[in-house]
Amino acid sequence: MMGSGMRFRAMVAAVGLLFLAVTVDAVAETKVNSVRLWRAPDNTRLVFDLTGPVQHSVFTLSAPDRLVIDINGASLGAPLSVNSSNTPITAMRSAQRTPTDLRVVIDLKKAVTPKSFTLAPNAQYGNRLVVDLFDNPADAAPIPAPTNVATVAPVPVTPVDPPVKLPPAPAGKRDIVVVIDAGHGGEDPGASGSRGQREKDVVLAIARELQRQVNGMKGFRAELTRTGDYFIPLRGRTEIARKKGADLFVSIHADAAPSAAAFGASVFALSDRGATSETARWLADSENRSDLIGGAGNVSLDDKDRMLAGVLLDLSMTASLTSSLNVGQKVLSNIGRVTPLHKQRVEQAGFMVLKSPDIPSILVETGFISNANEASKLAASSHQQALARSISSGVRQFFQQNPPPGTYIAWLRDSGKIAQGPRDHRVSPGETLAMIAVRYQVSPATLRSVNNLASDELKVGQHLTIPGTELAAKE
Ligand SMILES: [Zn+2]
């Protein structure tokens, strides 16, 4: 390791000299003004704030483990310091190697795998150099991510439902898994409010509260994509959902609009167009296709031809989208009880985080953080709880009507132990009134009277109301 590191170092030095020779006029005009740090469960991100663009190189040295960052055409504008507790970093030093080349050396507790890139200025920040230090998988005990968010008050614990006492789960009935995704994080603060409220903090607080509530519902388990203030790429978020075996993916955001008057919550599902093009993309990407084999209804796509694979994926995407719109509408109508709605219907857009072909996915915009009134509500723990409650209620209602096979909730429904509200049934080809009555365990007479049917004749596509069942009546 040491030998290759040294060779690499010599090469880097040579490149540095070459760079000096051709840019002799541009003498370290760029200043490195500060460094910021975020710890994620498996990596540490350093972001250097610069006054201009730079060339850079990064390499590691061992015994002791160090990371060396050479920033060409730069000098230190201010002393660099970070709080590196809970990270592999023990110390950070810097020195000017030449009048134009700054070297930053990071002392490490253990070896890391670095990745680095530069970012162009945006509305919030200037030029940046990002260095990600990935923990090596060999390190058995991961360093825990920080769990407190400084700007959000801790949420007081309130009791959660269910109001009815549910029977114990028989062996082998799994929980429904809801993966909750707090938008943005780390270097990406999302939208911000006039009093400095940041979307990334508000949505993490709501996501945590939602997780607590969902975990309090028997037969459900909630997981978070991010548990602290760090960035996860959009694809990374859907990958986490798949790895955790999500039955539903809920991404939490707060809106911003040029008009400070804009207000209200909204719920999004993927647009049909986004769904269609995404099916094509997944098919084109054989890696993703193999990734799906365990996820798309346990259908092996490997040994089937491409066209059949396409049809299966398309069906999966269509089914997911139908479920997404259904759960989205339930969440939306519950949210409408605690906060004004921006739109009365589930909207559809091509959001990247909604593009899992096999997992129903919704994105909840909890309100406009750009609106002063909504921003202060969004930052209040009581309102965060109310929003989380409305989302968890919508999620529960959806799964009580559409429980995935093999889950405790499916067992409850099938054994008639669950109270259920009225449902809608769309008549498929070949279905008779008697078949539908058996399927929903209601009498044909009840179906006829609830739907004002003069005869048993049904049309394909016709909508029938299935009456609700009462828990008390079943016990
Ligand atoms: Zn957002």
Side-chain angles (χ1 to χ4, degrees):
M1 284 303 288
M2 190 65 171
S4 68
M6 295 298 284
R7 268 202 309 281
F8 190 24
R9 184 183 211 164
M11 197 181 78
V12 168
V15 171
L17 281 174
L18 203 71
F19 182 71
L20 233 187
V22 293
T23 59
V24 76
D25 289 338
V27 180
E29 282 181 352
T30 294
K31 299 280 182 212
V32 180
N33 278 337
S34 62
V35 61
R36 292 170 287 135
L37 176 147
W38 286 277
R39 175 67 198 170
D42 67 343
N43 72 81
T44 306
R45 170 164 285 191
L46 290 169
V47 178
F48 294 89
D49 290 299
L50 315 165
T51 60
V54 292
Q55 305 277 334
H56 78 283
S57 57
V58 172
F59 58 97
T60 56
L61 298 170
S62 55
D65 286 308
R66 281 152 294 159
L67 180 77
V68 179
I69 307 164
D70 281 332
I71 309 174
N72 306 123
S75 62
L76 215 54
L80 299 181
S81 75
V82 286
N83 177 1
S84 62
S85 58
N86 288 324
T87 78
I89 299 173
T90 53
M92 188 184 296
R93 1 190 205 110
S94 67
Q96 205 69 35
R97 292 172 63 225
T98 73
T100 59
D101 292 338
L102 178 70
R103 168 164 287 185
V104 177
V105 178
I106 293 167
D107 296 316
L108 300 165
K109 280 177 210 151
K110 49 182 125 183
V112 297
T113 304
K115 261 188 195 166
S116 65
F117 54 94
T118 55
L119 288 173
N122 63 15
Q124 193 147 14
Y125 296 111
N127 285 92
R128 286 151 291 162
L129 166 62
V130 180
V131 184
D132 287 331
L133 288 62
F134 286 90
D135 303 344
N136 289 342
D139 301 333
I143 299 161
T147 49
N148 55 331
V149 176
T151 51
V152 178
V155 176
V157 172
T158 56
V160 294
D161 11 7
V164 284
K165 203 166 173 2
L166 295 171
K173 300 296 173 206
R174 69 171 181 91
D175 286 337
I176 289 172
V177 178
V178 181
V179 170
I180 304 162
D181 172 53
H184 312 279
E187 174 70 355
D188 169 18
S192 48
S194 56
R195 296 218 181 105
Q197 302 97 333
R198 293 182 302 187
E199 181 183 356
K200 66 173 183 177
D201 300 330
V202 166
V203 298
L204 181 59
I206 297 169
R208 284 213 182 102
E209 172 61 13
L210 178 58
Q211 181 191 33
R212 194 185 68 78
Q213 291 182 13
V214 170
N215 280 338
M217 304 186 325
K218 192 165 168 56
F220 289 84
R221 182 161 56 81
E223 302 270 3
L224 297 175
T225 54
R226 77 174 167 96
T227 55
D229 185 16
Y230 50 87
F231 182 74
I232 308 172
L234 298 176
R235 288 275 174 218
R237 295 169 193 256
T238 55
E239 274 162 30
I240 290 171
R242 180 161 296 103
K243 279 193 190 123
K244 291 190 185 288
D247 295 294
L248 176 69
F249 178 82
V250 182
S251 191
I252 311 283
H253 286 253
D255 238 330
S259 160
F263 70 95
S266 26
V267 175
F268 286 88
L270 187 62
S271 61
D272 299 282
R273 209 171 138 194
T276 309
S277 63
E278 190 61 9
T279 306
R281 200 197 67 84
W282 273 80
L283 278 175
D285 187 337
S286 60
E287 255 188 39
N288 281 334
R289 194 144 46 98
S290 63
D291 194 23
L292 261 183
I293 290 167
N298 291 322
V299 178
S300 172
L301 302 185
D302 251 2
D303 53 351
K304 308 226 164 41
D305 68 26
R306 195 176 166 77
M307 185 177 283
L308 178 55
V311 170
L312 287 175
L313 251 188
D314 217 34
L315 280 174
S316 172
M317 193 66 140
T318 307
S320 296
L321 190 50
T322 305
S323 296
S324 303
L325 289 167
N326 187 344
V327 67
Q329 195 56 49
K330 289 187 167 57
V331 166
L332 190 68
S333 51
N334 279 284
I335 289 183
R337 294 181 194 147
V338 300
T339 201
L341 294 181
H342 188 61
K343 292 272 170 62
Q344 297 298 321
R345 290 188 52 193
V346 177
E347 294 168 81
Q348 290 183 260
F351 288 119
M352 184 69 77
V353 287
L354 300 179
K355 291 187 176 179
S356 296
D358 49 347
I359 305 170
S361 305
I362 56 170
L363 186 147
V364 181
E365 293 280 6
T366 50
F368 280 83
I369 205 164
S370 53
N371 176 305
N373 177 37
E374 288 207 327
S376 52
K377 272 168 68 185
L378 285 169
S381 61
S382 59
H383 189 64
Q384 291 169 354
Q385 275 180 35
L387 285 167
R389 173 79 60 228
S390 58
I391 299 168
S392 62
S393 298
V395 168
R396 186 178 51 219
Q397 288 160 12
F398 169 74
F399 279 117
Q400 284 181 345
Q401 294 176 10
N402 308 276
T407 60
Y408 172 69
I409 301 296
W411 173 79
L412 272 187
R413 199 254 329 244
D414 296 343
S415 54
K417 289 184 166 62
I418 201 163
Q420 204 162 38
R423 284 148 295 167
D424 180 71
H425 177 86
R426 191 167 167 274
V427 177
S428 302
E431 273 187 328
T432 65
L433 190 80
M435 283 164 66
I436 296 166
V438 167
R439 173 168 165 191
Y440 292 102
Q441 297 181 322
V442 296
S443 70
T446 309
L447 269 187
R448 263 181 238 118
S449 79
V450 167
N451 292 283
N452 297 318
L453 300 176
S455 76
D456 284 5
E457 216 161 284
L458 300 175
K459 293 195 190 75
V460 171
Q462 183 178 350
H463 286 266
L464 293 180
T465 299
I466 310 297
T469 57
E470 295 301 324
L471 183 66
K474 289 280 176 187
E475 275 184 345

